[in-house]
Every structure is written in C-alpha cells, then in structure tokens.
Amino acid sequence: MPDDIFAELHDNQTPPLYRWFNGHAWVESKNGHYKDVVSPIDHTVLGKFPVVTTAEIDDAIARAHGAQRLWARVEITKRGKVLRLAADWIREHEPLLTTLLIKEIGKPADEAKDEIVRSADMLDYYTHEALHVGGEQLPSDAFPGYDQSKISIIERVPQGVVLAISPFNYPVNLSVSKLAPALMMGNAVIFKPPTNGALSALYLTQIFRKAGVPDDLLVTVTGGGEDIGDYLVGHPGINMITFTGSSQVGKSAAKIAGMIPLLFECGGNNAALVINGCDIETTALEIVKGAYSFAGQRCTAIKYVLGLDSDLDKVLPRVVALTQEKIKMGDPRDPGTKSVGPLITESAAKEVEARIVAAQQAGAKIVLGGKRQGNYIEPTILDHVTMDMEIVRIETFGPVVSFVRVKSIEEAIDLINRSTYGLQAAIYTCDEGLGIKLAGELDVGTVWINNKPQRGPDHFPFLGTKGSGVGVQGIKYSLEAMTRLKPIIINKPG
Ligand code: G3P
C-alpha cells in the first residue's frame, strides 16, 4: 500500500490543514476552528487539525451505534483479518510513521521506531488472543439448595460504543492498545487522540480504514481536551471509556462519565527501593533506564529512589556515572541522542525547572544537570529530597530522578503507600524472598524486582491503584474489559 493513501488526510497548504475522520469520510472544519500541532523540537507548525463540533460528535456517535450492531455480527476471525492487515501496513509504513512521531512529540528516533514496531506486534497479538476470550457455563446445583434443573450460559458481549482517549507520549501505541481490543470484541470506537500526536493518530486511523474497518465503526474526532473532552466523556451515547493520561484529568473524567465501565491508566510517580544493594551496577543501570527513557515522560518512569544512606551512598555515584555515559540530550532526530529529547512543550519544561529550583531551595542538592534550555531539561539527579517536595509529591514528567534517604525499610514502604499514586514500584535487592515479601506490602499495581518499571511486555497485566487508574490493561485483560457478561439461564432438557 503506497504512502499516498495518506493524501486525503489534509490539503496541500503549508502547514497542511488536516481533516477529522467522521467514520466514512475525511472532513474539514465546518466553522474554520483549527488547532496547531507544534513540534517540540523547533516549534514549527506541523499541521492544523479541526476542532469538531458537538453536533458532529452527536451525529458520529449515533452512526457508530448502528455500525456496531452490524460489526458485532461479523465473525471474530474476519475481524482479526482486518486488524492483521492493519498491523502489516503499520510495519510497511514504519519509516513514515516513525518520522512523523519524532517530529510530533520529540521522541528519540530509536524509541519512536520501537513504538511503531511494538504497535504492529501488539495488534497481531490482540487478534490471536481474542479468539480465546470467551464466556462459561455454570450448573445450578453447585450452590446449596438448588437442583440440577438450570444451567447458566454466560456469553461475553461487546460494551457497545467505546470512547478511546490516548496520551501524547504514546500516540500510536496507546491508541492501538485501545482500538485493537475494542474492535476485536465487536465494539465501535470514538477515538480522541492527543493534540501532540493527533497527526500520527490520523495516519493510524487511515491504516485501519484502508485495512477494512467498516463505515462509521471507527470515528476519529480531533480537538483539544479543553474543547471537547468533557462533552465526549459525558455523552449518553458512550458505553465505556478507555483513557490514558494524567491523574488530574482521569479523576475529572471519571466524575463526569458516571455509571459506565472505565479502563483508565493515569499518573505513575513510581518509586525504586534499594535494599542491600549488592548488585550496584544492575541497580544503577535499571534506575538510569527507568528514569530517562523518553525524557522521563512516561507513566512508568522511576521518579524517586528510596534507601538507607549505606545503600544510596553506593548506588548514587554509579547512577551519576551511568547517566553521563549512557544518556545523551539532543535533537531526537539525531541517532546520537539517547533518551532525552525536548519535553512536549516549553511550559512543561518550565514546570519541571520550577520544581527543581523549589526542591533545591528546600534543601535538596543538585548532583547532576538541573538546567533548562527551551523545551530541554538536562538529565537531572537530586539528592537529599524529602517527600514533602513537589518534585516527588506530584508526578514530574521530565528527566529528573530524586534520591530520598530513609532511616528504615519500614519508613520507605510507608512513604510509598502514602503516595496518592499507585502504578508501579521497583525493588532492587539480592534477597528476592525479601523483595517478594515487601512487594506484598506495597499499595501499587505492579512491583518489579531488579528491573525497571514498565508496561511491557504487553500481555502482562497493567494496572494502577489510587490515583493511577481504574481497571486492568494488558492484552487478555483489555479484551475482557471491552466486553460485558450476558448470562442466559435455561432449564436443562429432560
Ligand atoms: O506512559 C505510558 C505508560 O504506559 C508507559 O509505558 O511502555 O513506557 O512502560 P512504557
């Protein structure tokens, strides 16, 4: 499929005026209301997308319900064929998609390519796993007092019309992680991409469209969260919402959404706990990888490292040395850049800078970095940070890792559990038994032992507690979340 399949997404102006996808056609803005996509690399306007109107949203959702009823009757094997073709075309267009992703969000080239390839692999996996997500049957006499006269046939049926809202930091991968399970399980999707990442999401939409997703089943609405976010999440025609984004937006959306199923991944602000750091090199390397990938703009990034002085005094120098050796800040298009390109906006970078300054004024010590140049924040390491400082109290989406010294492991566990976040945590120890024991004491979704926190591999369950999310993602779990149970009880024959 040649790259010119994307020609109908926009006009030939510079910068291009993009169109939104109403389910069966690419549509320009009705009222001339467009929003710029500004590259974090050089602040060029890569394109403008329409801000759709509420009337256009209403119409698209109504049509999506009709399309969903037809799609639910298409054999799952045929749904899988459409999505596997989309996976193949994502691979075929990987260079174009990677180049656009780098420009749109400033993701370093190697990580951008990984996101695209991972998305195709994820899509394939969804189509195979979906064949094994089914219901069950239950006999009535399994419960005391009931005879054998009834049997419950419990089917899994689609939720209906799913609203999928994806984040700027994975605008392709965390869109596929929503669209794929929703479509495979017979749903329609109203897809709302982020501002930075919207163009990549529109290209992804066209690939799904051309691969054979039927009319009106997948609608990609563009507009800022501040323009259409509340209207979408509160829309009575939406049957389920899957969202990745900040805890603040997630909490607000959950309040507006009301009584419908939610599958939310929100902020992480993840801790690493170093205990008897016997393998200093592995511990330090995992902390560096966990802290700086995509300039720390990841929900699973390590944000603070807890430990006794005896442990942190050994690990910190190696973290500094490995950061200087392995992490290279620069233009994300440059293959020499490692992990740290620009933050998504200059205001985001200023917010991170302000927190670094505030932490230093409150007594923290800048051991490495700390400076901002435009959208760029140097890879930064702070020591003697305390949990009352904003840099660690609130998720800081930047390349900053803070060292927090504790007097005991119990204190560290208590500090992690007091956090308003609960996505992941990492424990670095040579005593894996102790690691497993302490993992059981942590109020977080997932605990990694002697590894950096991460979402992948994508068939693992992925979830957050507290302000970090609702529901469980991960391939099998997302497929199940896109369905509800439909028990039908019959009298057993004879
Ligand atoms: O921030 C999004 C979250 O899903 C991180 O994913 O794969 O970088 O751990 P990953």
Side-chain angles (χ1 to χ4, degrees), residues 64-65 67-73 79 157-163 178-190 213-214 216-218 239-240 478-484:
H65 278 279
Q68 185 274 323
R69 284 190 286 273
L70 297 175
W71 180 245
R73 291 201 287 270
R79 296 181 210 153
V157 299
Q159 294 284 10
V161 176
V162 172
L163 172 60
K178 298 168 173 58
L179 271 55
L183 293 171
M184 274 310 295
M185 300 315 283
N187 299 282
V189 180
I190 305 297
V213 171
D216 300 332
L217 192 74
L218 169 61
N239 302 114
M240 188 259 184
S478 295
L479 289 163
E480 290 174 349
M482 301 296 174
T483 65
R484 59 177 174 80

Side-chain angles (χ1 to χ4, degrees), residues 218-328:
L218 169 61
V219 177
T220 301
V221 292
T222 51
E226 67 283 1
D227 303 310
I228 58 174
D230 289 356
Y231 191 76
L232 284 166
V233 297
H235 199 287
I238 295 295
N239 302 114
M240 188 259 184
I241 302 174
T242 171
F243 163 84
T244 300
S246 73
S247 295
Q248 181 191 352
V249 172
K251 286 172 186 168
S252 164
K255 285 199 182 97
I256 296 168
M259 283 177 68
I260 58 172
L262 304 176
L263 183 60
F264 282 18
E265 179 214 338
C266 299
N269 202 27
N270 308 293
L273 175 53
V274 179
I275 308 173
N276 312 326
C278 60
D279 185 346
I280 298 298
E281 208 53 20
T282 302
T283 300
L285 188 56
E286 287 301 308
I287 290 170
V288 169
K289 290 191 297 182
Y292 295 119
S293 170
F294 190 33
Q297 298 174 109
R298 295 168 48 244
C299 303
T300 51
I302 290 176
K303 293 301 174 186
Y304 57 101
V305 181
L306 296 156
L308 306 177
D309 285 342
S310 56
D311 282 321
L312 296 194
D313 287 346
K314 284 187 277 185
V315 170
L316 178 54
R318 287 308 300 151
V319 169
V320 172
L322 287 170
T323 301
Q324 292 170 315
E325 178 193 332
K326 304 251 182 219
I327 305 301
K328 301 289 177 237

Side-chain angles (χ1 to χ4, degrees), residues 60-105:
I61 290 176
R63 285 185 282 103
H65 278 279
Q68 185 274 323
R69 284 190 286 273
L70 297 175
W71 180 245
R73 291 201 287 270
V74 172
E75 296 85 343
I76 195 165
T77 47
K78 288 181 181 166
R79 296 181 210 153
K81 275 192 183 146
V82 169
L83 296 192
R84 270 195 299 281
L85 183 55
D88 290 343
W89 282 346
I90 288 172
R91 292 185 185 94
E92 187 180 318
H93 295 288
E94 176 274 311
L96 179 150
L97 295 170
T98 297
T99 302
L100 177 57
L101 188 62
I102 296 167
K103 287 181 191 169
E104 265 208 287
I105 67 171

Side-chain angles (χ1 to χ4, degrees), residues 53-64:
T53 66
T54 53
E56 288 171 322
I57 290 171
D58 293 345
D59 173 58
I61 290 176
R63 285 185 282 103

